Amino acid sequence: MAEKKKRDHFGSKIGIIAAAVGSAVGLGNIYRFPCMAGENGGGAFLIVYLGIVLALGLPMIASEFMIGRRAQKNPVGAFKALASGAKGWSIIGYTGVLCGFLILAFYTTVAGWTLESVYKSVINYYHGKDLATIEQGFNDSINLTFRPLLWQAVFIFISAFVIAKGISKGIEKYSKILMPTLTVILIILCVKSLMLPGAFEGLKFLFKPDFSKINDQVLISALGQAFFSMSLGMGALITYGSYISKEDNLVTTSLTVGLSDTFVAILAGIIIFPAAFSFGIQPEAGPSLAFNTLPMLFNQMKGGYLFCLLFFILLVIAAWTSALSLLEVIVSYLIEELKLSRRKATIYSSAGAFIISILAALSLHNDSSLTIFGLTIFDGLDKITSMVMMTLGGLFTVIFLGWKVKRQDFENEFTNGGTVNMRLRKIFYYIIKFIAPAAIAVIMVSQFII
Ligand code: PHE
């Protein structure tokens, strides 16, 4: 009991939403979503993605919040506490902690590029340059050794700085300022991009589905992207759930988080594709989409200097609030299960993540031999975490909630002890128990068969 009293909690409803939306909205939305949509047929991908968000994502966000709030513990401790003595379930929690490290590794690398881009914007590097020169500059920077690592170190440091302060005075306080700023910047950019000549082609690419393009690759990519974007399947939302107060309505909170996340991804698409089409950049261009297309957009705009700077600051903010939740998964585990102080836990976990992120960054060098499964370590970590670890983690999390956690516990959490959402609880229970596990399993298995 004494331990429960000491547990830090989010201080307000707005604080919870800011922090959880902050976790969900990140490079996954603004950088990865356009890449995935671009590689997987645009509109076709978007339709599948939206289906997955509505049918699986939203219930799964609530599931993780429920597990965390019920247990009042980090992911490892939560699976132990709610498994009524059955051994083995905590593996899901351990995998989540590991997944946190692996995601942080490549996430930090991309976050480093965002800092480099802020720097380039400040010195007005992009001004007057053509696309080929900007792309060349981007590749040259990635191929440097120390500079990318320096930016990565800076990024890890600012994340660790907030995490060391804890929940209400750290994560919550910063998210409450950073998230509204991000939303305002996004909306301004959206309007600007839509005003470009040829913007309509980009919108068509994103919103007009060509159903013949839907195949198993699109399905698994959309599933992986949905899990990645909503921070599912690795314990981040279990951890944040454990800091949510008993009075908060978990269902409305989950809806707000899932829908805001999706809204931001679509906004990012509306910013990036019209610009890409307008400048003749292929939608399959990958990292180039966010990092090179947009400076071109800004180059041609009145006030471009300012917007360029704003955009990259926005990317840093988005990455920062997500990295907080990734770190907090590891830190809460180290504090509660291994009894470290918050300070030590923060130092060890950020140092560990930084070390793996060095490998991810170096693996992108043109002459690098750092590969796994035939991919660079960077791409390998991205694929293994989103398409395998998070989807499997999500699968076992819903199986756990549907089949292992006591029905009474589920209902208590879902309805706040019988005061809210009484009618929804049954439908929800059946989605979690049958539909979600079956759907995830089918998508994963189809991948192997085909
Ligand atoms: N959801 C974050 C993004 O979209 C990434 C993330 C994944 C954060 C898993 C926490 C946990 O960028």
Side-chain angles (χ1 to χ4, degrees), residues 290-353:
F291 286 95
N292 301 329
T293 312
L294 291 172
M296 286 299 292
L297 164 68
F298 304 130
N299 255 341
Q300 308 206 343
M301 262 163 58
K302 245 209 208 126
Y305 176 84
L306 194 67
F307 283 112
C308 190
L309 188 60
L310 274 180
F311 175 75
F312 286 116
I313 290 179
L314 165 133
L315 268 185
V316 172
I317 294 175
W320 192 10
T321 50
S322 296
L324 295 183
S325 68
L326 286 163
L327 262 180
E328 184 62 23
V329 170
I330 309 168
V331 167
S332 66
Y333 161 73
L334 293 177
I335 295 177
E336 290 170 11
E337 305 296 310
L338 302 187
K339 309 289 173 232
L340 294 188
S341 66
R342 179 165 275 276
R343 203 183 136 84
K344 275 201 180 136
T346 308
I347 296 176
Y348 294 158
S349 52
S350 41

Side-chain angles (χ1 to χ4, degrees), residues 343-372:
R343 203 183 136 84
K344 275 201 180 136
T346 308
I347 296 176
Y348 294 158
S349 52
S350 41
F354 178 65
I355 291 171
I356 323 180
S357 79
I358 297 178
L359 296 178
L362 296 183
S363 79
L364 289 174
H365 285 194
N366 286 339
D367 55 357
S368 165
S369 52
L370 294 166
T371 53
I372 21 172

Side-chain angles (χ1 to χ4, degrees), residues 23-29 103 107 228-232 234 236 261 322 325-326 390:
S23 165
V25 170
L27 297 172
N29 304 59
I103 296 177
Y107 209 78
F228 187 83
S229 188
M230 286 181 279
S231 310
L232 287 170
M234 53 73 64
D261 184 66
S322 296
S325 68
L326 286 163
M390 298 173 92

Side-chain angles (χ1 to χ4, degrees), residues 11 58 71 99 105 133 151 159 163 168 174 251 257 274 294 337 361 406 410 433:
L58 300 178
C99 193
T133 318
W151 289 125
S159 307
I163 287 296
S168 48
Y174 282 81
V251 176
V257 173
L294 291 172
E337 305 296 310
K406 292 193 206 84
F410 169 91
K433 197 169 170 118

Side-chain angles (χ1 to χ4, degrees), residues 32 44 95 115 146 232 238 343 349 364 399 415 433 439 444:
R32 199 174 188 278
T95 318
L115 285 170
F146 288 108
L232 287 170
I238 295 182
R343 203 183 136 84
S349 52
L364 289 174
I399 292 178
T415 63
K433 197 169 170 118
M444 291 199 76

